[in-house]
């Protein structure tokens, strides 16, 4: 009996690990993120109920905002399968431009027992039309409507959420984000590195999925790629109690006589609070990394699956929803905080940035931040691409990509040729070997000896070598794995499952809550607030249309 | 099976995935080269930190038949080679209410004497590669066994039985001459090439977990070779747990050495893996295992790591501003905000004219960062790790049952692995493990001794997996100079440091706070102040309602050294 238990414990972990990795591959193919949203400046929204899918198989009854009619447009251009369902969590991301007059018509299609609902837009001067008087704003009564209008006075990322019985309604999913784009993105954001990054994208046939070129009307806020992450936890007991009461025939009958009828209104306990689901953009790992608008999650359209190329400035738009703080840890580099709640943090003379650098960017309920991240591999002290000056194996044909030049620009990066695979390589480490005696066609004489691969367990995102990109990963394979005979062979163990396939071989880094308990889904690890960020070599096309 | 659910459609993957576990061979070894491309022994002494008077000078060595070569140092080589070995396994620690708690943990397999004395276990090659010198073989529990450690307190000063001292070796456990590799070479004596005797590693490494994990301290420009040796978990023979090391906060980390098992490799039982990094910018980092993090971190696989700045190595009399200007001439270390949005050690807006000189102990002045103006100067430094243990989870973790994550609730609140009053007991704390031997389970105290008029750098880290923690300084003000291993300075060089009496950190966060006792009218020798958590429920040791996250700050006439293990005179 004891033997049995022991085996089960070990096996269950393995199965889960392999399981979610495989699931992600099956569903994703290449599914990336961008910042999908809808355009206005008039938004016709509804608040409704539906069920959210979680990776433990549960469908959790929730409330969310959605579109009551087709929105005026979807962004970014070229995003596939874009829809705005009548209920989604988070609510539709509202994308507007600085100076626009934004009008949000909200209709309350929640069950009558839920009572009134509303939306708060912190950071804007909101005027209301219609609706009924609520505690902190005008509300839409069951079946009724209310209109909020305001000027998108300044750029930035901000949250929006219910201003009615927030302990219940925000928990149920009534929250979303609004992105205000700068009216006049600074000219320098289309010059220099940003211009050559675009040339590199074009060379490889990659599209530009940005909403703008700058986060703010400030020359230090340029970016080359962007993602939006909304963090919230969920206590499914509250949701079950709400669902049971909404379906309760007695209550349904009372509500049929009018929402104001005594006994119609829900009486759900929101304390004690004991969340078991930890969500980014309404999803948990591994569902989180599946495509935007994936049909499997009709009410959770937004994903979290960041990718980037070396040297790109990546704008991280983050909103803390829910009621807890979460220490969002970005592996691989720091984040410069540009702004909080749309307020740029600048030096006293307003000329330069003064926001701090963090490797853990805390998310706080009701607070949004914009931050810039990049990855270049600077200072590793070995050539990330496994370059070397001359063929390693006498007599073997040299791969032309093994001996590419690296010409440092004023900052030390190889940016002269945007069409090069090693565009943005850190040149101080060019050709510098890592391994004492490597396999394959990479440089030897480095400081490190890698052990027998048989004492490793390979991760789903491990490419089989220390090196970046499909070309380097192929070259650095074991002698038994002759790439002239078998172009796809690797040093990965036969048991390995791949979420980082042979044509990608990016460097994967975990972005997750460092309250590690929150990278679980209802007691199962892995899950929750966890996603893999991939730094991809230039020849891999990051297609964020999915 | 408890709550660990398995999605049925994936069960077909079972045989494939299990094959992973079938493939492990015993392969222990350490790495500590005595010459590398970056630190060639022909050009520099790899066993010392040279003074910093400008970046390393490089030249490209041409390679026959190839285009170019790679940059190789020719003179002015900075930094040195540093090596350390740690075990991944299990062990026991003692909570302040006397409870022995089971841990998954890292333990020291090099620098044993230094670790027992509250110091980093990181060594130069000459120390790391030194063979065990004593006639009696290494014993389970060492160095505590050789030191004749007991679990009763001892007083400090001079060697006495039961205190660190008898065991004074810092080499790599297991390292033995590689007789096979020497065959036919004709040289006398066998090679020291990283070959180890696994018996010694198992004797010392098994059941030898530490909380916090062995301290790592390095200098900018160093190459670090950190070997993780997975000795298995004796109390959980059912688990095939791999371990890894994640260098938390390392900028521009490589995925291969990032320690995330999903993105790289994980080390099976019976294997060693050497992580290789060139030191990142100065700052307070930390490390932890990244296997099933909610479990392995809660169970104790968390350690501290800090990087000392080049500014410490400036020759006496050199202007700190000039020292920072040197660094701006190397693109790797330069901080030009216009070109790099993720750097903060830019030249200060105001050149204070401060020059390198002695600190209150008469040593070269030390700094938390390359500040160029002396704003992060300190006299004594203390790494402080905040953590929490959930006794329930640790008990379940020792038994053959699945743990639940949702109900995790820490009840022991730890500063450097101890709760008050254990935090103010000097010397290593020992725990008798299930092997019947005493082990130095909690080597670091948390006593803050400050020389009168001096400044103490607290390298504060929170590695809790479920709690934000606040630490309050009752009396001595805190000057926060760094956040998440970066100097607090805006892009125009204005310091954004601030004074406070409390700091708050979430799991996975670090900051640098200087306890500033320079006002000698207020802070006089003999006075005792407190650092404690105003999250009042964190002042408990499980059922004991007073203890937890708390320690003492002593103002001293003088201190005997600059960190843990010093005496307050
Ligand atoms: Cu992590
Ligand atoms: Cu571990």
């Amino acid at each position: 009996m004891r033997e049995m238990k022991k085996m089960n414990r070990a096996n269950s972990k393995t199965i889960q690990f392999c399981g979610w990795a495989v699931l992600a591959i099956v569903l994703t193919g290449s599914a990336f993120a961008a910042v999908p949203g809808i355009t206005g400046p008039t938004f016709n929204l509804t608040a409704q109920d539906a069920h959210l899918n979680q990776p433990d198989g549960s469908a959790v009854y929730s409330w969310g905002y959605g579109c009551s009619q087709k929105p005026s447009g979807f962004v970014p251009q070229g995003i596939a399968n874009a829809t705005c369902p009548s209920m989604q969590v988070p609510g539709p991301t509202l994308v507007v431009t600085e100076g626009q007059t934004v009008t949000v018509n909200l209709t309350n299609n929640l069950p009558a027992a839920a009572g009134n609902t509303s939306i708060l837009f912190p950071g804007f001067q909101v005027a209301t039309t219609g609706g009924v008087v609520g505690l902190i704003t005008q509300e839409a009564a069951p079946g009724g409507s209310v209109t909020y209008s305001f000027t998108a006075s300044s750029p930035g990322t901000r949250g929006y959420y219910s201003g009615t019985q927030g302990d219940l309604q925000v928990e149920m999913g009534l929250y979303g984000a609004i992105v205000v784009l700068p009216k006049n993105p600074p000219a320098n954001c289309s010059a220099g590195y940003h211009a050559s990054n675009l040339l590199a994208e074009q060379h490889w046939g990659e599209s530009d999925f940005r909403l703008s070129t700058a986060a703010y009307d400030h020359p230090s806020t340029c970016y080359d790629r962007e993602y939006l992450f909304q963090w919230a936890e969920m206590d499914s007991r509250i949701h079950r109690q709400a669902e049971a009461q909404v379906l309760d025939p007695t209550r349904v009958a009372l509500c049929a006589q009018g929402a104001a009828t005594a006994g119609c209104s829900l009486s759900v306990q929101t304390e004690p609070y004991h969340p078991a689901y930890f969500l980014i953009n309404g999803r948990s790992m591994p569902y989180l990394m599946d495509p935007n608008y994936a049909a499997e999650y009709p009410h959770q359209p937004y994903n979290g699956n960041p990718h980037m190329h070396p040297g790109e400035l990546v704008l991280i738009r983050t909103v803390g929803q829910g009621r807890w703080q979460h220490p969002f840890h970005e592996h691989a580099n720091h984040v410069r905080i540009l702004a909080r709640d749309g307020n740029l943090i600048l030096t006293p003379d307003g000329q330069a940035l003064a926001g701090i650098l963090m490797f853990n960017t805390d998310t706080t309920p009701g607070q949004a931040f914009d931050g810039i991240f990049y990855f270049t591999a600077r200072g590793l002290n070995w050539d990330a691409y496994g370059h070397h000056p001359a063929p390693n194996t006498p007599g073997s044909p040299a791969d032309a990509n093994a001996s590419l030049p690296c010409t440092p620009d004023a900052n030390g990066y190889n940016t002269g040729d945007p069409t090069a695979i090693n565009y943005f390589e850190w040149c101080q480490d060019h050709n510098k070997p890592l391994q004492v005696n490597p396999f394959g066609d990479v440089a030897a004489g480095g400081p490190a000896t890698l052990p027998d691969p048989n004492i490793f367990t390979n991760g789903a995102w491990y490419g089989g070598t220390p090196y970046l990109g499909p070309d380097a990963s192929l070259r650095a394979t074991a002698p038994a794995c002759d790439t002239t005979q078998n172009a796809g062979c690797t040093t990965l163990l036969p048991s390995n499952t791949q979420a980082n396939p042979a044509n990608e071989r990016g460097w994967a880094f975990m972005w997750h809550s460092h309250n590690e308990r929150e990278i679980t889904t209802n007691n199962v690890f892995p899950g929750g607030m966890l996603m893999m960020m991939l730094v991809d070599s230039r020849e891999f096309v990051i297609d964020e249309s999915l | 099976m408890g709550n660990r659910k398995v999605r049925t459609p994936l069960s077909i993957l079972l045989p494939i995935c299990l094959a992973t576990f079938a493939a492990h061979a015993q392969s222990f070894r350490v790495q500590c080269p005595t010459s590398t491309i970056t630190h060639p022994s022909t050009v520099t002494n790899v066993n010392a930190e040279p003074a910093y008077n400008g970046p390393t000078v490089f030249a490209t060595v041409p390679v026959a038949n190839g285009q170019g070569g790679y940059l190789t140092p020719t003179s002015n080589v900075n930094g040195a080679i540093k090596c350390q070995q740690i075990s991944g396994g299990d062990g026991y620690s003692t909570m302040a209410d006397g409870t022995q708690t089971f841990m998954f943990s890292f333990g020291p397999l090099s620098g044993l004497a230094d670790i027992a004395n509250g110091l980093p276990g990181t060594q130069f090659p000459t120390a790391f590669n030194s063979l065990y010198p004593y006639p009696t073989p290494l014993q389970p529990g060492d160095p505590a066994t050789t030191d004749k450690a007991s679990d009763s307190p001892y007083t400090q000063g001079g060697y006495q039985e039961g205190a660190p001292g008898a065991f004074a070796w810092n080499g790599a456990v297991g390292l033995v001459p590689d007789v096979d590799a020497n065959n036919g070479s004709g040289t006398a004596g066998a090679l020291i090439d990283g070959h180890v005797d696994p018996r010694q590693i198992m004797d010392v490494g098994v059941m030898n977990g530490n909380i916090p994990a062995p301290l790592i301290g390095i200098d900018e420009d160093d190459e670090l070779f950190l070997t993780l040796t997975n000795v298995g978990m004796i109390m959980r023979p059912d688990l095939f747990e791999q371990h890894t090391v994640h260098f938390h906060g390392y900028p521009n980390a490589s995925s291969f050495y990032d320690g995330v098992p999903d993105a790289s490799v994980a080390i099976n039982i019976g294997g060693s893996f050497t992580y290789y990094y060139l030191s990142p910018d100065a700052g307070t980092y930390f490390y932890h295992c990244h296997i099933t993090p909610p479990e392995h971190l809660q169970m104790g696989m968390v350690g501290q790591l800090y990087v000392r700045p080049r500014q410490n190595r400036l020759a006496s009399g050199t202007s700190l501003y000039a020292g920072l200007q040197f660094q701006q001439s190397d693109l790797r270390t330069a901080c030009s905000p216009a070109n790099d949005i993720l750097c903060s050690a830019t030249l200060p807006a105001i050149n204070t004219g401060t020059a390198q000189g002695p600190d209150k102990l008469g040593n070269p002045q030390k700094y938390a960062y390359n500040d160029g103006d002396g704003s992060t100067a300190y006299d004594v430094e203390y790494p402080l790790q905040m953590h929490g243990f959930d006794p329930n989870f640790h008990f379940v973790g020792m038994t053959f049952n699945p743990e639940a994550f949702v109900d995790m609730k820490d009840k022991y609140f730890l500063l450097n692995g101890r709760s008050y009053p254990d935090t103010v007991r000097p010397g290593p704390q020992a725990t008798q493990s299930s092997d019947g031997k005493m082990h130095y389970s909690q080597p670091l105290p948390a006593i803050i001794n400050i020389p009168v008029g001096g400044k103490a750098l607290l390298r504060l880290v929170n590695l809790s997996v479920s709690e934000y923690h606040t630490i309050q300084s009752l009396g001595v003000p805190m000057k926060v100079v760094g956040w998440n291993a970066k100097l607090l300075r805006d892009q125009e060089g204005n310091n954004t440091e601030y004074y406070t009496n409390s700091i708050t950190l979430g799991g996975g966060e670090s900051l640098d706070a200087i306890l500033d006792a320079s006002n000698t009218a207020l802070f006089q020798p003999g006075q005792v102040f407190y650092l404690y958590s105003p999250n009042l429920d964190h002042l408990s040791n499980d059922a004991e309602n007073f203890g937890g996250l708390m320690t003492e700050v002593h103002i001293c006439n003088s201190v005997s050294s600059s960190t843990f293990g010093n005496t307050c005179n």
Side-chain angles (χ1 to χ4, degrees):
Chain A
M1 210 39 226
R2 191 174 124 163
E3 283 302 308
M4 200 59 205
K5 248 184 171 170
K6 281 153 67 174
M7 280 306 289
N8 282 345
R9 167 57 159 63
N11 291 356
S12 71
K13 260 188 164 174
T14 319
I15 296 161
Q16 287 157 21
F17 181 86
C18 298
W20 65 267
V22 170
L23 191 72
I25 305 161
V26 169
L27 292 184
T28 56
S30 49
F32 309 129
V35 179
I38 60 174
T39 55
T42 296
F43 299 95
N44 296 299
L45 302 186
T46 166
Q48 286 184 209
D49 61 358
H51 289 80
L52 303 184
N53 295 332
Q54 293 302 326
D56 63 349
S58 62
V60 183
Y61 177 73
S62 300
W63 301 341
Y65 299 110
C67 289
S68 58
Q69 60 190 72
K70 196 167 180 291
S72 28
F74 292 96
V75 283
Q77 296 293 318
I79 198 133
N81 308 319
T83 64
C84 185
S86 56
M87 182 282 193
Q88 63 174 68
V89 177
T93 298
L94 312 179
V95 181
V96 298
T97 301
E98 179 185 7
Q100 281 184 327
T101 300
V102 180
T103 303
V104 177
N105 300 310
L106 172 68
T107 304
N108 181 354
N109 288 314
L110 293 171
N116 296 351
T117 194
S118 63
I119 308 182
L120 299 177
F121 294 94
F124 299 105
Q125 297 299 314
V126 180
T128 56
T129 317
V132 297
V133 176
L135 187 62
I136 43 181
T137 188
Q138 287 292 108
E139 301 178 336
S145 295
V146 63
T147 297
Y148 305 100
S149 54
F150 54 91
T151 303
S153 44
S154 69
T157 308
R158 297 170 179 87
Y160 69 81
Y161 44 87
S162 169
T164 307
Q165 207 189 335
D167 62 319
L168 178 63
Q169 294 202 353
V170 173
E171 164 66 27
M172 292 299 287
L174 287 166
Y175 58 79
I178 174 164
V179 172
V180 181
L181 307 175
K183 190 169 185 185
N184 301 303
N188 66 302
C189 297
S190 303
Y193 283 157
H194 308 292
S196 55
N197 284 343
L198 266 186
L199 288 176
E201 280 190 3
Q202 285 159 11
H203 172 76
W204 298 101
E206 197 169 295
S207 304
D208 181 4
F209 288 92
R210 288 176 295 178
L211 299 178
S212 179
T213 56
Y216 291 84
D217 301 295
H218 193 284
S220 297
T221 66
C222 308
Y223 65 90
D224 302 304
R225 200 173 285 282
E226 69 189 304
Y227 297 107
L228 169 63
F229 306 117
Q230 300 184 59
W231 296 63
E233 61 293 320
M234 184 167 83
D235 181 348
S236 57
R237 180 200 55 79
I238 296 172
H239 295 242
R240 278 197 307 273
Q241 201 180 359
E243 183 173 29
Q245 292 186 13
V246 163
L247 295 175
D248 171 27
T250 316
R251 193 177 250 102
V252 170
L254 287 169
C255 290
Q257 299 162 36
T261 310
C264 168
S265 163
L266 294 180
S267 144
V268 176
Q269 284 183 317
T270 53
E271 288 290 343
Y273 191 60
H274 209 56
Y277 296 91
F278 299 96
L279 316 176
I280 299 174
N281 293 345
R283 299 187 188 178
S284 310
M285 186 67 181
Y287 290 2
L288 177 56
M289 292 184 67
D290 284 337
N292 286 311
Y293 303 111
E296 290 84 351
Y297 324 116
H299 302 290
Q300 297 141 282
Y302 303 146
N303 73 356
N305 190 356
H307 284 62
M308 64 189 68
H309 294 297
E312 292 179 337
L313 297 189
V314 178
L315 174 63
I316 300 176
R317 304 177 182 272
T318 303
V319 185
Q321 307 283 12
R323 58 161 91 169
W324 279 7
Q325 282 189 291
H326 304 284
F328 172 12
H329 175 42
E330 293 90 348
H331 280 226
N333 217 340
H334 283 73
V335 174
R336 163 79 69 178
I337 302 294
L338 295 178
R340 294 193 185 276
D341 294 339
N343 300 289
L344 262 181
I345 303 166
L346 298 173
T347 51
D349 64 7
Q351 296 297 306
L353 302 177
I356 61 171
L357 296 162
M358 308 176 94
F359 53 58
N360 263 50
T361 49
D362 296 288
T363 74
T364 300
Q367 194 189 74
F369 73 80
D370 293 303
I372 296 279
F373 177 96
Y374 73 72
F375 182 88
T376 62
R378 180 183 66 203
L380 273 185
N381 209 34
W382 48 278
D383 188 319
Y385 298 85
H387 293 133
H388 61 84
N392 234 0
T393 327
S396 76
D399 176 341
N401 289 326
S403 325
L404 297 174
C406 192
T407 311
D409 64 16
N411 297 310
Y413 296 110
N414 181 46
T415 57
D417 177 8
T419 67
I421 284 181
N422 63 335
Y423 170 67
F424 243 108
E425 181 183 355
W426 172 245
C427 291
Q428 254 185 29
D429 297 337
H430 183 54
N431 285 341
K432 204 181 275 183
L434 169 64
Q435 296 172 254
V436 177
N437 292 307
F439 295 131
D441 193 12
V442 296
T449 302
L450 306 191
D452 176 355
N454 285 320
I455 66 162
F456 292 166
T457 298
N458 295 165
W461 278 267
Y462 175 53
T465 77
Y467 306 104
L468 175 65
D471 176 68
S473 297
L474 263 185
R475 279 189 280 112
T477 49
C481 174
D482 183 346
T483 57
T484 59
Q485 303 297 318
N486 175 5
C489 79
T490 76
T491 48
L492 288 164
L493 297 175
S495 58
N496 184 259
T497 54
Q498 263 304 316
N500 179 13
N503 71 334
E504 180 169 14
R505 294 290 190 249
W507 278 5
F509 297 96
M510 195 181 278
W511 283 11
H512 63 110
S513 170
H514 216 285
N515 273 352
E516 306 279 4
R517 179 167 65 125
E518 300 171 349
I519 59 172
T520 61
T521 296
N522 198 15
N523 279 321
V524 174
F525 171 86
M529 295 167 159
L530 186 168
M531 51 197 166
M532 302 303 288
M533 179 277 281
L534 273 109
V535 175
D536 289 312
S537 169
R538 269 289 164 183
E539 71 266 49
F540 178 75
V541 173
I542 300 176
D543 176 5
E544 310 208 68
S545 68
L546 287 171
Chain B
M1 293 295 288
N3 286 318
R4 291 173 176 268
K5 294 192 176 70
V6 178
R7 283 182 299 273
T8 39
L10 299 157
S11 54
I12 48 160
L13 290 160
L14 178 63
I16 303 173
C17 292
L18 277 184
T20 302
F21 292 118
H24 49 90
Q26 191 230 282
S27 178
F28 288 156
R29 117 183 267 280
V30 295
Q31 291 181 46
C32 190
T34 53
S35 184
T36 61
I37 292 168
T38 308
H39 293 99
S41 57
T42 50
V43 185
T44 186
N45 176 3
V46 304
N47 293 302
E49 289 291 338
Y52 186 85
N53 54 23
T56 305
V57 177
F58 293 97
T60 301
V61 178
V63 172
N65 310 323
Q67 7 169 330
Y70 47 82
L71 290 175
T72 310
T74 52
S75 62
N76 210 36
V77 179
N78 289 297
I81 296 174
K82 299 276 174 70
C83 306
Q84 194 158 349
Q85 183 186 203
I86 58 175
S87 62
D90 55 356
Y92 283 90
S93 57
T94 308
M95 300 292 97
D97 63 357
T99 305
Q100 295 199 351
T101 298
F102 177 67
M103 306 185 294
F104 298 179
S105 41
F106 296 116
L109 281 176
S110 70
L112 301 185
D114 281 353
I115 295 273
N117 281 303
L119 304 172
T122 322
Q123 307 294 327
F124 291 112
T126 184
F128 184 90
N129 290 329
S130 71
L131 299 181
Y132 182 69
Y134 302 118
T136 52
L138 279 161
Q139 298 172 63
D142 265 341
T145 305
T146 297
D147 286 343
K148 298 191 166 55
S150 71
D151 54 4
S152 57
Y154 58 87
T155 52
Q156 279 184 293
Y159 171 66
Q160 55 185 305
E161 194 161 287
F167 188 105
W169 173 65
N170 279 315
V173 171
L175 194 65
V176 289
D178 187 351
V179 177
D180 293 343
N182 202 44
N183 276 351
S185 74
T187 52
L191 292 169
I192 303 298
D193 61 0
H195 173 75
V196 295
D197 174 356
R199 187 185 51 184
Q200 294 176 14
I201 285 180
M202 295 304 280
D203 279 352
V204 174
V206 161
M207 294 303 304
N208 194 35
N210 281 186
I211 178 80
L215 185 57
I216 300 176
I218 51 178
D219 294 88
E220 284 185 317
D221 303 303
D222 283 353
E223 286 175 281
L224 175 65
F225 294 82
L226 177 70
T227 299
L228 167 63
T229 292
N230 187 341
V231 298
M233 296 200 282
I234 298 307
M235 296 302 290
R236 292 301 306 273
D238 60 316
L239 294 184
F240 306 97
E241 295 295 275
Q242 295 102 12
H243 300 294
T244 64
V245 173
H246 168 53
F247 293 77
H248 186 114
Y250 265 36
N252 283 302
S254 73
S255 178
F256 187 61
Y257 290 125
D258 197 40
V260 173
D262 318 63
S264 181
V265 299
I267 319 314
N268 294 329
I269 296 169
S272 299
F273 184 82
T274 301
Y275 292 85
Y276 171 76
Y277 272 108
L278 185 66
S279 286
D281 292 344
T284 298
Y285 302 86
F286 44 96
Y287 72 98
H288 58 82
C289 179
H290 218 294
I291 303 284
T292 317
E295 179 186 44
H296 285 217
L297 271 72
Q298 165 67 240
M299 291 300 284
M301 306 194 79
V302 292
Q304 296 163 94
L305 187 167
Y306 55 83
V307 180
R308 294 171 286 242
R310 288 177 200 91
Q311 190 165 298
N312 288 358
R313 314 197 297 262
L314 292 177
S316 181
T318 307
S319 138
L320 303 183
Y321 192 88
L324 190 48
Q325 280 176 319
F326 292 153
Q327 304 183 34
Q328 305 294 330
S329 59
D330 177 355
L331 292 175
R332 179 173 73 82
T333 61
C335 175
S336 157
N339 298 322
D340 183 357
I341 197 167
L342 297 186
C343 72
S344 66
T346 185
L347 285 168
I350 299 163
N351 181 351
T352 57
T354 312
Q356 175 62 334
D359 67 10
K360 287 262 181 303
L361 283 69
N363 299 322
Q365 184 72 58
K366 292 188 285 294
Y367 309 87
Y369 291 91
N370 294 304
D371 53 47
D373 60 4
S375 58
T376 68
Y378 64 85
D379 302 291
V380 285
E381 74 182 311
Y382 301 99
L384 285 180
Q385 178 196 75
M386 298 179 257
H387 195 42
F389 277 175
D390 172 356
N392 228 352
F393 195 93
H394 284 251
F395 179 76
V396 173
M398 185 173 60
T399 60
F400 301 98
N401 291 296
E403 307 102 334
F405 298 114
V406 172
D407 293 325
M408 197 181 270
K409 180 82 186 81
D410 294 346
K411 292 190 173 157
Y412 292 108
F413 298 95
L414 310 172
L415 265 181
N416 286 348
R418 308 187 193 183
S419 304
Y420 189 79
D422 286 351
T423 47
V424 296
R425 283 172 60 176
Q429 180 164 310
T431 302
Q432 188 179 49
S433 195
S434 56
D435 57 2
K437 303 287 184 189
M438 298 304 294
H439 293 256
Y440 287 146
S441 54
Q442 292 132 293
L444 292 181
I447 314 162
I448 311 302
N449 291 329
I450 310 179
V452 61
K455 295 173 178 168
L457 173 65
L458 306 183
R459 298 182 178 276
L460 279 157
V461 164
N462 179 2
L463 272 157
S464 276
V465 295
S466 62
E467 299 267 8
Y468 277 73
H469 289 298
T470 299
I471 289 271
Q472 187 124 39
S473 174
L474 205 56
V476 189
M478 298 168 135
K479 180 166 87 163
V480 179
V481 298
W483 193 274
N484 287 190
K486 291 283 186 188
L487 175 67
L488 283 176
R489 178 170 288 173
D490 72 23
Q491 283 193 316
E492 288 180 342
N494 307 300
N495 291 337
T496 52
E497 63 191 25
Y498 58 94
Y499 278 88
T500 181
N501 273 71
S502 73
I503 58 88
T504 301
L505 287 179
E509 301 177 358
S510 69
L511 65 75
D512 302 282
I514 291 173
L515 283 180
D516 186 351
S518 51
N519 185 337
T520 52
L522 285 177
F523 308 112
Q524 296 171 356
Q527 283 185 298
V528 176
F529 298 91
Y530 292 89
L531 280 178
Y532 72 99
S533 173
N535 306 111
L536 298 176
D537 59 320
H538 298 184
L539 291 172
S540 64
N541 305 321
D542 197 5
E544 294 180 357
N545 69 1
F546 198 72
L549 257 179
M550 179 159 123
T551 191
E552 293 173 5
V553 177
H554 299 234
I555 309 295
C556 315
N557 284 303
S558 67
V559 294
S560 60
S561 72
S562 62
T563 189
F564 293 126
N566 59 12
T567 43
C568 177
N569 304 309

